[in-house]
Amino acid sequence: MMLAGRGRNKIRPPRRGLGTNDNVDFDSMWAELASSLQDIHNKNASQLSFEALYRNAYKLVLKKRGDVLYERVKEFEEEWLANEVQPQILEVLSPSLLLASTGGSTITTANEKRAAGEKLLRALKQAWEDHNLCMNMTTDVLMYMDRVYCKDFRKPSIFTASMGQFRDYVLRTPLQPGPDHQISIAQVLNAVILDQVRMDREGDIIDKSLLKSCVYMLEGLYETEQEEEHLKLYLTSFEPEFLRASEEFYRHEGSTLLLDADAGTFCKHAKKRVSEEEDRCRSTLSPLTLGKIKLVVETELIKNHLREVIALEGSGVKYMIDNDRTSELEMMYDLSARVDPKKEDLKKAIQARIVEQGNDVNNATVAATQAPPRPSAPNRDRADGEEKAPEKPVNLQTTAAINWVDAVLRLKDKYDIFFTQAFQSDQGLQTAFTRSFTDFINAFERSSEYLSLFFDENMKKGIKGKTENEVDELLDKGIILLRYIQDKDMFERYYKKHLSRRLLMKRAISMDAERQMISKMKMEVGNTFTQRIEAMFKDMTVSDDLTSQYKRHVAQLGDPDPKRAEMEINVLTSTMWPLDAMAPYSEGENRPRCIFPSQIERIKQGFEKFYLDKHSGRQLTWQANMGTADIRAYFPEMKGAKKTRELNVSTYAMVILLLFNDLLPGHSITCEEIQAQTNIPFNELTRNLQSLAVANKTRILVKEPMSKDVKLTDKFYFNEQFYSQFQRVKIGVITAGNKVEDSTERSETEKKNNDTRGGVIEAAVVRIMKQRKELTHQKLIAEVIQQLTARFLPDVNMVKKRIESLIEREYLERIEEKEPPAYRYLA
């Protein structure tokens, strides 16, 4: 028997004029049709003449008997479904399935339950397919009735009506008569499908294609004859029960899993469950349920337990971060994104861990700076800059400063990897990361100074031997930390201090790298931040031109002294350079400056005259502590033919050494006498004498008694037996303790910085009020803070004090009797 397509014309319509007799024997014609329908349902239609059957149905409709024919066909199908189909289904319906569907207990094993369920599913599948096949053939016979009678009288097609009958007389008819027996085959079917799905979730093997066929049956049946899509039997009858059962299943599984599994296992299982449900909807159930069942899994299994999973001790987010479990963090992010677009719980956990790790770095640094220094090994008293000097910082606090920056950068690199590989470059998490790094970096009071020291060390020797890309990467890392620093004005103060020493002492490895650093700073924090630093570079360039002009000037004078010293001068703009940080004397100290040897003094005065002739009205102040000198020394007892060496020393060391030209061989001079003749500050004098007489391999002088410490009574001799294999010997100055400021120095720096901030705040207030004319107190405070936040975070009390100061100086006035309090700008 062939399945005819629904709605196709397989039989030609009768020619006009056929059946002119108005009398139609309905009963005999119906008897023939009914017998044929019986044969179709019994799968015995091979001998039927479908053309004759179609003609009979056509005649009946044509003779206005379509209504009777329509009802008779419906009655036939009703009897067939009730008397033939339903009993066949009931035969395969086992008592265990019936008991399970009513909520009763059963002792049936899983295999027996699966077999009984599949038996029912096959019977329903067969009945449904047979009914569809028969009704397609019946529709072909009654095609004219569908097109004319059903259309004219707005009746559902016979196929649609028969589908409703299958729903009512097979699926929904109570299995037993009476009000107490309302259970139907549809309810048993739902229970069987749910049980099969549960077995599938638990890992048992089920017949998915059989299940899909029965689901397809439910999708093909509707609650009404209008066949509205939202009233499919699958959506109204099965899906609500499926979702309720799924909620219960995943609610229980989530609680159990949280007790038994670690966070990584939970994430893997949850992700697997979501994927399984997606596959189940595509292959076994219906795509119509996909979004709903995903919501159930995400709510019951993920959302309701996510916070606990994130916080699990020994396996949660903290553990994943500490042990670089990137793949697990990626799953955690995926689960969080499913149930919370903002990922709040995950974000809070990561932020808390960043701050914890950052505070650990801060505390470890503080502990390292307070630890007692390790005893020095013999012959380790090297001068700064001596040959074969160690590359790493040689003092405790400077080492701690560099280690702090390195530790923060390692932490940043760690979270950058998480950001790209686990968190899909989520900008919301990036903002959270930035906030957390900002918090712990600015909680460390020396962050600005330590970052500047990091740049200082790397600009002096850290970039030596590195490629251009490596240097660029190193600078970028430092700029990243600068981005987090709130008090950028404090960083600028320290950076200028360290930069000035690199430039003036010629310790910068690469001027290109220095300028590249300034360009990066300008891009990051703006032009205002780098104006003074750029002015320092400009002064160095102008000074080079000035030195060349002075040399030409001296050459034109024709100086007859063949031993005249050559001088390179750096003329610095006092407002642009941190001269207060470089001055040899304390503020307010009135002692005379360094006393230079006569030959140097003569050259110094010559340059002053040359410069002031070109720039009248300016004042030159010599900073001897920031200079260097190259001098040639003769050692009479040195081995070898050449007994002279070229010494590169500080300006103070040059002044000290030139004193020994006036001493007879074997004679000494005390430290107290050196200070009296040179007026070098004692701390600077001590450092330079240590470099010349104590540091190994650069002992140009002999100290008596020999010790590291220098006292006023110590005697110094010229070391005629000095030997070095190098023709040029660089004698750096012994580092003056730690490069990091002590508490007194830092307090002084903060005081100077606060004074500077006061002026910046007043300028911002005047700028705002000049534009607004009148403004309330709160709005003025808010706008000042907003304008200055990029440079530093203003203290509200300081802003209030500066406003009061401006009122006293009549830049502003209070607006009397106005609430809230407000100010007016005075032109």
Side-chain angles (χ1 to χ4, degrees):
M1 181 169 60
M2 299 296 291
L3 176 63
R6 182 180 176 186
R8 293 181 179 176
N9 273 326
K10 291 296 183 182
I11 304 171
R12 294 189 300 273
R15 293 187 297 274
R16 290 191 177 276
L18 192 64
T20 56
N21 186 6
D22 291 337
N23 297 322
V24 175
D25 187 355
F26 179 85
D27 291 336
S28 63
M29 295 179 71
W30 167 246
E32 184 178 350
L33 277 173
S35 175
S36 300
L37 293 178
Q38 187 80 23
D39 289 339
I40 289 174
H41 281 290
N42 287 326
K43 301 180 182 179
N44 190 25
S46 58
Q47 303 300 321
L48 295 178
S49 171
F50 279 83
E51 184 173 359
L53 294 173
Y54 178 82
R55 288 174 184 273
N56 286 340
Y58 174 80
K59 288 178 183 179
L60 291 174
V61 176
L62 195 64
K63 298 305 180 181
K64 309 299 182 182
R65 304 302 299 274
D67 54 343
V68 182
L69 176 62
Y70 184 82
E71 293 300 326
R72 289 288 180 91
V73 173
K74 285 183 64 179
E75 291 172 4
F76 175 86
E77 294 301 330
E78 178 182 331
E79 291 177 3
W80 175 263
L81 292 171
N83 299 328
E84 299 294 334
V85 177
Q86 191 187 59
Q88 294 175 10
I89 303 300
L90 294 177
E91 285 181 8
V92 301
L93 186 60
S94 68
S96 61
L97 289 180
L98 188 60
L99 186 62
S101 62
T102 59
S105 61
T106 176
I107 312 176
T108 309
T109 64
N111 287 334
E112 290 174 345
K113 183 182 283 190
R114 181 190 301 106
E118 289 180 352
K119 193 173 183 181
L120 175 65
L121 295 177
R122 288 193 186 94
L124 282 170
K125 174 189 175 185
Q126 188 63 49
W128 168 251
E129 290 177 350
D130 288 348
H131 187 64
N132 268 272
L133 177 64
C134 294
M135 292 316 301
N136 271 296
M137 297 173 70
T138 301
T139 298
D140 286 341
V141 172
L142 303 175
M143 186 184 305
Y144 190 73
M145 182 184 72
D146 278 344
R147 289 183 176 179
V148 177
Y149 170 77
C150 293
K151 184 177 180 181
D152 289 347
F153 291 91
R154 297 183 179 179
K155 294 280 188 179
S157 69
I158 198 64
F159 185 91
T160 300
S162 69
M163 294 300 106
Q165 289 176 313
F166 189 90
R167 175 196 66 217
D168 295 334
Y169 298 109
V170 175
L171 295 182
R172 287 188 169 174
T173 299
L175 297 178
Q176 297 179 17
D180 298 332
H181 301 282
Q182 294 300 315
I183 188 167
S184 64
I185 293 176
Q187 290 173 287
V188 179
L189 172 63
N190 286 349
V192 169
I193 296 176
L194 293 178
D195 196 50
Q196 295 279 315
V197 170
R198 181 189 57 77
M199 287 189 286
D200 187 32
R201 285 171 176 162
E202 293 175 352
D204 291 336
I205 297 175
I206 63 170
D207 190 338
K208 294 184 179 181
S209 62
L210 179 60
L211 214 60
K212 181 67 176 176
S213 298
C214 292
V215 169
Y216 182 73
M217 174 187 70
L218 294 176
E219 285 189 294
L221 296 173
Y222 297 83
E223 291 286 354
T224 64
E225 293 178 340
Q226 285 72 34
E227 295 190 344
E228 297 169 278
E229 287 299 309
H230 69 285
L231 293 178
K232 287 183 175 182
L233 217 58
Y234 174 87
L235 296 176
T236 61
S237 175
F238 171 75
E239 187 182 75
E241 290 191 37
F242 170 70
L243 295 177
R244 279 194 296 271
S246 299
E247 286 176 0
E248 183 178 349
F249 177 86
Y250 284 115
R251 186 180 302 119
H252 177 266
E253 183 176 74
S255 301
T256 305
L257 199 61
L258 195 62
L259 294 174
D260 300 337
D262 57 43
T265 303
F266 189 101
C267 291
K268 291 176 185 176
H269 187 79
K271 186 176 182 181
K272 176 187 172 187
R273 283 302 196 193
V274 173
S275 178
E276 285 177 355
E277 294 298 340
E278 290 175 350
D279 291 340
R280 184 173 291 112
C281 287
R282 283 190 287 263
S283 63
T284 307
L285 300 180
S286 169
L288 297 173
T289 308
L290 180 58
K292 302 169 189 175
I293 189 60
K294 282 177 65 177
L295 182 61
V296 168
V297 179
E298 290 168 356
T299 301
E300 299 297 336
L301 186 59
I302 302 173
K303 184 177 182 179
N304 292 346
H305 303 288
L306 183 63
R307 184 172 299 175
E308 290 86 347
V309 174
I310 288 173
L312 275 177
E313 189 69 28
S315 66
V317 167
K318 178 180 177 180
Y319 173 84
M320 294 176 185
I321 290 172
D322 293 347
N323 294 275
D324 297 325
R325 300 293 185 92
T326 307
S327 59
E328 292 180 359
L329 283 171
E330 183 180 9
M331 288 188 291
M332 187 70 78
Y333 172 83
D334 179 65
L335 296 186
S336 298
R338 287 179 179 274
V339 299
D340 179 14
K342 294 183 178 180
K343 285 78 68 178
E344 289 294 344
D345 290 330
L346 178 63
K347 190 184 300 181
K348 289 176 182 177
I350 296 173
Q351 283 185 290
R353 189 55 188 150
I354 291 175
V355 173
E356 286 176 4
Q357 291 177 308
N359 289 335
D360 289 343
V361 171
N362 294 345
N363 296 334
T365 302
V366 172
T369 58
Q370 295 175 349
R374 290 175 296 181
S376 300
N379 300 326
R380 291 293 298 274
D381 296 331
R382 284 200 177 117
D384 186 16
E386 178 192 348
E387 300 90 356
K388 299 184 181 179
E391 289 296 323
K392 61 183 180 181
V394 295
N395 60 77
L396 184 65
Q397 294 213 16
T398 304
T399 303
I402 306 306
N403 289 343
W404 179 83
V405 177
D406 287 337
V408 175
L409 287 175
R410 285 195 299 272
L411 195 62
K412 180 67 171 59
D413 289 341
K414 180 187 185 83
Y415 283 93
D416 282 346
I417 292 173
F418 292 152
F419 177 66
T420 55
Q421 297 183 10
F423 303 140
Q424 302 178 15
S425 300
D426 187 292
Q427 290 306 308
L429 285 179
Q430 174 76 330
T431 302
F433 290 179
T434 301
R435 189 179 302 118
S436 298
F437 272 90
T438 300
D439 288 345
F440 85 77
I441 287 175
N442 289 283
F444 188 62
E445 62 179 8
R446 291 188 179 271
S447 55
S448 297
E449 182 182 6
Y450 280 12
L451 179 57
S452 180
L453 268 175
F454 170 81
F455 285 126
D456 187 52
E457 288 295 319
N458 281 287
M459 286 300 186
K460 287 192 295 189
K461 46 198 171 185
I463 62 175
K464 189 175 182 179
K466 286 185 170 63
T467 64
E468 184 176 342
N469 289 337
E470 289 173 335
V471 172
D472 194 56
E473 183 180 357
L474 181 69
L475 299 183
D476 282 340
K477 286 184 175 181
I479 289 295
I480 288 172
L481 292 196
L482 176 59
R483 190 176 302 159
Y484 298 132
I485 298 289
Q486 288 180 338
D487 295 337
K488 291 184 173 61
D489 59 336
M490 183 69 84
F491 169 80
E492 179 189 1
R493 182 174 292 273
Y494 283 115
Y495 191 85
K496 285 170 60 179
K497 173 183 173 182
H498 295 139
L499 174 63
S500 64
R501 289 174 179 169
R502 291 200 300 275
L503 295 178
L504 298 177
M505 304 300 286
K506 301 187 184 302
R507 291 178 178 174
I509 294 292
S510 168
M511 293 302 292
D512 288 340
E514 294 281 3
R515 291 188 174 90
Q516 187 180 356
M517 183 69 212
I518 303 306
S519 297
K520 290 180 180 293
M521 285 185 181
K522 183 186 294 187
M523 292 176 62
E524 181 63 33
V525 294
N527 187 49
T528 305
F529 180 83
T530 58
Q531 278 181 343
R532 294 176 181 271
I533 299 176
E534 288 176 316
M536 294 168 67
F537 283 93
K538 183 178 180 181
D539 280 351
M540 296 300 292
T541 302
V542 171
S543 295
D544 289 341
D545 294 339
L546 192 60
T547 298
S548 299
Q549 294 173 20
Y550 180 61
K551 286 181 179 179
R552 289 196 295 270
H553 171 73
V554 171
Q556 291 172 0
L557 293 177
D559 193 331
D561 185 2
K563 295 183 178 181
R564 176 187 176 91
E566 293 186 0
M567 184 165 59
E568 292 185 3
I569 306 99
N570 291 316
V571 180
L572 314 179
T573 306
S574 59
T575 55
M576 297 299 173
W577 290 72
L579 299 179
D580 57 335
M582 301 183 291
Y585 304 124
S586 300
E587 186 176 351
E589 199 168 358
N590 294 321
R591 286 189 298 169
R593 302 287 179 169
C594 174
I595 301 173
F596 290 95
S598 58
Q599 62 269 40
I600 302 300
E601 184 66 27
R602 183 169 62 88
I603 298 172
K604 188 165 76 74
Q605 291 177 359
F607 177 78
E608 286 183 359
K609 184 177 184 307
F610 166 77
Y611 182 82
L612 295 176
D613 286 345
K614 293 173 65 70
H615 304 283
S616 61
R618 295 187 181 181
Q619 182 179 356
L620 292 177
T621 302
W622 294 84
Q623 300 285 342
N625 62 311
M626 299 305 296
T628 61
D630 290 335
I631 59 176
R632 184 169 296 174
Y634 176 76
F635 300 94
E637 297 185 21
M638 182 177 285
K639 303 172 186 178
K642 291 186 177 181
K643 299 185 181 295
T644 60
R645 292 291 184 270
E646 186 174 316
L647 308 178
N648 177 253
V649 296
S650 69
T651 302
Y652 282 147
M654 173 200 71
V655 173
I656 294 169
L657 289 175
L658 289 181
L659 295 178
F660 288 86
N661 283 341
D662 300 329
L663 289 181
L664 296 174
H667 284 64
S668 66
I669 185 171
T670 65
C671 175
E672 186 175 12
E673 291 171 337
I674 294 175
Q675 187 177 32
Q677 294 183 44
T678 62
N679 207 33
I680 297 174
F682 184 70
N683 63 327
E684 297 283 351
L685 179 63
T686 300
R687 292 172 57 216
N688 281 275
L689 287 174
Q690 287 175 329
S691 301
L692 295 170
V694 177
N696 192 27
K697 296 186 179 180
T698 61
R699 292 176 180 168
I700 308 300
L701 303 179
V702 176
K703 180 177 177 295
E704 187 181 290
M706 184 58 192
S707 64
K708 184 176 181 180
D709 296 330
V710 176
K711 299 179 181 178
L712 288 173
T713 57
D714 291 345
K715 296 180 180 180
F716 293 89
Y717 300 83
F718 182 71
N719 185 10
E720 297 182 353
Q721 298 179 351
F722 174 80
Y723 173 77
S724 175
Q725 62 179 336
F726 300 102
Q727 185 63 34
R728 178 179 171 83
V729 181
K730 183 176 181 180
I731 305 175
V733 180
I734 291 290
T735 305
N738 289 309
K739 295 180 182 178
V740 178
E741 292 181 337
D742 59 28
S743 57
T744 303
E745 292 171 329
R746 179 165 179 79
S747 297
E748 185 65 24
T749 300
E750 289 179 347
K751 180 179 179 300
K752 292 175 181 176
N753 202 57
N754 285 336
D755 292 341
T756 303
R757 285 183 177 181
V760 174
I761 291 172
E762 288 186 356
V765 171
V766 171
R767 187 166 54 248
I768 293 168
M769 292 302 298
K770 188 175 183 179
Q771 180 182 9
R772 297 296 193 89
K773 306 304 181 185
E774 292 184 4
L775 206 60
T776 64
H777 174 78
Q778 290 298 332
K779 288 186 177 180
L780 177 58
I781 295 287
E783 290 203 26
V784 169
I785 292 175
Q786 182 181 2
Q787 282 198 13
L788 300 181
T789 297
R791 184 165 179 79
F792 62 90
L793 189 61
D795 180 70
V796 175
N797 289 330
M798 183 182 289
V799 177
K800 290 179 180 177
K801 289 180 181 178
R802 304 327 300 176
I803 292 174
E804 292 295 331
S805 176
L806 290 170
I807 292 174
E808 291 175 3
R809 287 177 283 159
E810 297 184 350
Y811 284 90
L812 307 176
E813 69 174 0
R814 288 188 177 87
I815 302 177
E816 300 295 337
E817 299 179 356
K818 186 167 184 179
E819 289 294 335
Y823 306 102
R824 181 183 293 114
Y825 176 70
L826 299 177

